[in-house]
């Protein structure tokens, strides 16, 4: 056998076709589902403001050697802090290991320019929601490592458009 497709013969393909037909009959996909999903995604995108990630040069700091004037070609030391800006709000997040999970999960400390804002962290494992305090500070504990984007909304004013950040890795 040179590939996994060589393992399938005509009988296997016929059996798979019967299984497909069985599921299509027992639990068919609604005909308009794809169009409804596309429509809903478009509507949500039109009602959201997209935040921009600040210049990537601002995401690093100089190493200790560069601060002391030693080693002029020293690579910058990456930071775990990221700032997003939009017309209506700015969001700064800093990621570190969660204290409760032996390094498997991430704690995100953040600040948003709108006190009392709702911040939702959307990850591959679901989403976590928190409300910022009177100074705009918030903490999201126990997020999984991997891609995350944030959605900032005003829970007191449903007419204000949500702000969505680009996806980053934590």
């Amino acid at each position: 056998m040179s590939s996994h497709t060589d393992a399938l013969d005509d009988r296997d393909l016929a059996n798979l076709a019967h299984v497909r037909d069985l599921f299509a009959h027992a639990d068919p996909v609604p005909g308009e589902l794809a169009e409804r999903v596309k429509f809903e995604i478009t509507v949500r995108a039109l009602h959201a403001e997209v935040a921009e990630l600040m210049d990537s040069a601002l995401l690093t700091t100089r190493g200790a050697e560069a601060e002391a004037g030693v080693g002029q070609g020293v690579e910058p030391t990456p930071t775990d802090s990221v700032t997003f800006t939009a017309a209506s709000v700015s969001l700064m997040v800093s990621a570190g290991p969660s204290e409760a999970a032996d390094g498997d999960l991430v704690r995100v400390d953040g600040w948003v320019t709108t006190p009392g804002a709702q911040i939702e962290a959307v990850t591959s494992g679901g989403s976590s929601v928190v409300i910022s305090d009177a100074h705009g500070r918030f903490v999201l504990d126990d997020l999984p490592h991997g891609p995350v984007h944030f959605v900032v909304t005003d829970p007191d004013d449903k007419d204000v458009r949500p702000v969505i950040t680009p996806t980053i890795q934590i």
Side-chain angles (χ1 to χ4, degrees):
M1 283 185 231
S2 60
S3 77
H4 66 281
T5 57
D6 293 339
L8 297 176
D9 61 14
D10 290 336
R11 181 181 234 175
D12 293 328
L13 295 174
N15 286 335
L16 288 172
H18 288 299
V19 170
R20 182 186 65 235
D21 293 341
L22 174 73
F23 278 103
H25 177 70
D27 188 19
V29 176
E32 71 281 355
L33 179 64
E35 287 303 314
R36 286 183 12 212
V37 168
K38 287 179 191 176
F39 176 76
E40 185 63 28
I41 290 171
T42 301
V43 167
R44 287 185 185 245
L46 290 174
H47 290 286
E49 182 179 351
V50 178
E52 293 182 21
L53 180 63
M54 294 298 291
D55 183 12
S56 62
L58 299 176
L59 298 179
T60 58
T61 58
R62 293 186 298 169
E65 294 86 3
E67 292 291 333
V70 180
Q72 294 298 337
V74 177
E75 289 293 316
T77 304
T79 65
D80 294 322
S81 222
V82 179
T83 302
F84 302 96
T85 60
S88 62
V89 70
S90 289
L91 172 73
M92 183 185 76
V93 294
S94 179
S98 178
E99 295 173 4
D102 300 329
D104 291 341
L105 298 174
V106 178
R107 172 186 165 129
V108 172
D109 293 286
W111 174 79
V112 63
T113 55
T114 308
Q118 176 178 297
I119 297 92
E120 178 182 13
V122 182
T123 66
S124 57
S127 67
S128 297
V129 177
V130 69
I131 303 291
S132 67
D133 68 11
H135 302 286
R137 293 182 297 234
F138 63 92
V139 174
L140 290 155
D141 238 343
D142 301 335
L143 297 176
H145 284 280
V148 62
H149 73 269
F150 299 94
V151 180
V152 181
T153 56
D154 184 347
D156 297 327
D157 189 355
K158 298 299 180 193
D159 293 332
V160 175
R161 297 183 331 168
V163 175
I164 302 173
T165 69
T167 300
I168 61 170
Q169 290 286 330
I170 59 172

